[in-house]
Amino acid sequence: MSLISSICGMLYDSRGFLGDGCVNVNEKGFIESVSKIPKSEKSFNFNKYIIGPGLIDLHVHLRGLDLSYKEDEESGTKSALQSGITLVVDMPNTRPRLDNPKSIKLKLNSLKEKSYTDYSVYSSIPKNTSDIEEILKLPIAGFKIYPEDLGSKIEIIKEVLKLNKLIILHPEMPEAERINDEENISRGTLRGCNLESASVYYLHKVNNRAKIHVTHASCPSTVFEAKKFGYTVDVTPHHLFYNSHNQGCYYRVNPPLRDETTRQNLLKLFLDGYVDALCSDHAPHSLKEKENFKTCPSGIPWLGTWPWIIFRLVKYNLISIQGFFYYMSYSPSIILNLKNYGLIEKGYRGNIIAIDKDKVWRFTNTFSKAPYYGHFLEENYGFVKSAFIGGKLVFDENGLIEKTDTINPFNNFS
């Protein structure tokens, strides 16, 4: 099979340093071979920079459809490329909500047309069990359970849990949704850790055989509860690095930020290897929405920068480079049951990034429509020099941003 590119440098993935060499990508967009020297006439030489697998964000809100004023598939995935993310999985709390075949098809078509990265979506829990069969025929990554679903849709959840499909749990009980307009210190108390761990326990009691992934855990007790039942769990950078003293709408998130002791204990659990993956929970809103304290929606937008906030842990030798790729690429691919993402290996998707691991820089611009309050001018460690989708150069440090043939991997792989 003919090659379209060779991408050369210091090769790394979750297994560690693989040596100096080249990743050779074929015309179908998959790695054909790894070699000491380039095999394609079109080669990219990054000398002593890191060449690694593209990052995967398994929890993003790209909005789009009727919420495109906040963010859309183009602006969000351009931001993802900016930070080295080459596969995103979009959450279903859109407008219209992705809880029926018609809405899901509409969203998938919009992603196919506009996405600058590989992509997929989760389905929300449908309103009717009769929709489940048709939803399963679509190339979705799994189903998302929100707190309110644990009350109003529990009988439908029982049917969904019987399926051989990934279930993503927002770990809070329905009572938590009644609490929103207090300041973050109060929200962290009123939407307590007990409501998180209780939701994990409750879902396990409903069905103890389902494949469940607990997303954006904010409390150590939630991590322990998830691991007790054999579930996978991810955390976000805001729960690792911010606490409930970060006040105002720009730090209002669900689950809420916790007190400093809880934050430190969660970070320690992550550093000790109890957590399976990292995700952004990128949640964009308009500037006007975020300026009204009583009504402002929850969420932090940072798809264009968050991996390099995490990379400071590499800078300070708290995690290794291979650990970074494990949490940001390989482990998310395993959670999603994608067997051809996340490694520098023959047969894997040719989504590749080149990283300057030593560069210290400040984030000053984004492709996103959302205001990145709090992230501008912060120091970031590690820098994406270039990003490739299917072996084709789509982003570089000089401002190149190009769309290529992106794919929904669930069209072909499960």
Side-chain angles (χ1 to χ4, degrees):
M1 186 176 297
S2 62
L3 300 175
I4 60 170
S5 65
S6 294
I7 306 160
C8 307
M10 297 191 302
L11 306 184
Y12 272 90
D13 62 18
S14 60
R15 297 169 295 184
F17 179 48
L18 307 176
D20 294 324
C22 301
V23 183
N24 306 303
V25 183
N26 64 35
E27 59 190 357
K28 290 188 176 181
F30 291 83
I31 298 173
E32 183 70 19
S33 64
V34 179
S35 59
K36 286 291 185 183
I37 59 173
K39 298 293 186 180
S40 171
E41 292 181 0
K42 187 171 185 178
S43 63
F44 300 86
N45 190 351
F46 290 96
N47 295 316
K48 296 300 181 181
Y49 294 114
I50 290 174
I51 301 299
L55 308 181
I56 297 171
D57 196 335
L58 53 73
H59 186 148
V60 302
H61 299 267
L62 296 179
R63 308 304 184 196
L65 303 180
D66 293 348
L67 298 177
S68 292
Y69 70 92
K70 298 173 185 271
E71 186 84 284
D72 61 37
E73 296 83 2
E74 178 178 336
S75 63
T77 55
K78 280 183 175 179
S79 298
L81 280 182
Q82 185 179 13
S83 60
I85 295 165
T86 58
L87 170 62
V88 297
V89 190
D90 202 5
M91 286 291 162
N93 57 335
T94 54
R95 189 186 302 157
R97 197 174 187 89
L98 307 186
D99 60 3
N100 62 83
K102 181 179 177 181
S103 294
I104 295 171
K105 289 176 183 178
L106 188 67
K107 181 64 173 179
L108 288 171
N109 287 336
S110 186
L111 281 162
K112 182 178 180 180
E113 177 186 351
K114 299 178 182 178
S115 181
Y116 277 63
T117 68
D118 289 351
Y119 60 86
S120 193
V121 300
Y122 303 105
S123 170
S124 192
I125 300 300
K127 296 175 184 176
N128 305 299
T129 53
S130 58
D131 282 333
I132 295 175
E133 185 177 349
E134 289 302 310
I135 290 174
L136 285 174
K137 295 177 182 178
L138 300 173
I140 62 170
F143 289 87
K144 172 71 180 289
I145 296 177
Y146 288 92
E148 62 268 27
D149 297 332
L150 293 175
S152 62
K153 295 183 178 178
I154 192 61
E155 293 305 317
I156 301 175
I157 286 174
K158 289 178 181 178
E159 296 303 311
V160 171
L161 290 175
K162 296 175 184 178
L163 307 172
N164 183 27
K165 203 70 178 175
L166 177 64
I167 307 297
I168 306 289
L169 172 68
H170 175 131
E172 288 185 290
M173 294 297 286
E175 293 82 354
E177 293 291 86
R178 303 170 190 164
I179 301 160
N180 190 58
D181 61 2
E182 290 82 3
E183 261 295 6
N184 292 336
I185 289 179
S186 298
R187 293 181 80 250
T189 301
L190 295 171
R191 296 181 71 138
C193 290
N194 60 310
L195 293 177
E196 274 196 27
S197 56
S199 69
V200 179
Y201 177 81
Y202 179 57
L203 201 60
H204 180 75
K205 286 297 182 181
V206 171
N207 185 321
N208 61 12
R209 297 181 181 180
K211 181 182 179 182
I212 293 171
H213 175 73
V214 179
T215 192
H216 55 39
S218 69
C219 303
S221 56
T222 310
V223 176
F224 286 129
E225 195 75 0
K227 304 313 286 187
K228 180 171 72 176
F229 299 131
Y231 301 157
T232 52
V233 59
D234 70 55
V235 295
T236 68
H238 45 274
H239 290 124
L240 290 180
F241 296 136
Y242 300 157
N243 65 34
S244 55
H245 288 282
N246 291 100
Q247 294 296 292
C249 291
Y250 287 96
Y251 295 97
R252 179 178 287 174
V253 290
N254 294 328
L257 299 178
R258 303 299 179 184
D259 63 85
E260 178 60 10
T261 299
T262 302
R263 182 201 72 81
Q264 289 188 20
N265 287 335
L266 184 69
L267 177 59
K268 185 176 187 302
L269 278 183
F270 168 69
L271 296 176
D272 288 344
Y274 284 86
V275 172
D276 297 284
L278 293 161
C279 71
S280 70
D281 191 12
H282 170 72
H285 300 286
S286 71
L287 181 62
K288 183 178 180 179
E289 288 171 320
K290 275 296 194 180
E291 285 182 336
N292 188 327
F293 177 76
K294 292 295 288 185
T295 62
C296 75
S298 298
I300 294 176
W302 51 5
L303 197 50
T305 186
W306 76 276
W308 312 105
I309 296 172
I310 293 293
F311 202 80
R312 67 183 63 181
L313 298 175
V314 177
K315 172 77 172 179
Y316 294 114
N317 297 314
L318 293 172
I319 63 173
S320 62
I321 293 172
Q322 56 262 40
F324 176 79
F325 283 119
Y326 176 82
Y327 291 114
M328 302 284 289
S329 191
Y330 180 70
S331 188
S333 76
I334 298 301
I335 291 166
L336 293 166
N337 197 29
L338 294 173
K339 299 178 177 63
N340 59 337
Y341 277 77
L343 291 178
I344 301 295
E345 188 75 63
K346 181 178 180 180
Y348 280 67
R349 179 73 166 146
N351 292 358
I352 306 294
I353 56 175
I355 302 170
D356 180 349
K357 68 178 180 64
D358 297 316
K359 184 168 182 175
V360 181
W361 56 288
R362 295 183 185 276
F363 186 82
T364 57
N365 62 81
T366 175
F367 293 102
S368 177
K369 296 180 181 181
Y372 276 35
Y373 180 88
H375 315 304
F376 281 99
L377 302 181
E378 283 191 7
E379 282 192 343
N380 290 277
Y381 300 94
F383 181 76
V384 177
K385 295 185 69 66
S386 294
F388 298 79
I389 298 285
K392 296 179 180 178
L393 179 65
V394 292
F395 174 83
D396 70 19
E397 60 183 325
N398 298 316
L400 173 73
I401 186 82
E402 291 188 354
K403 193 177 188 312
T404 187
D405 296 324
T406 59
I407 64 172
N408 178 350
F410 295 92
N411 271 324
N412 304 300
F413 306 97
S414 61

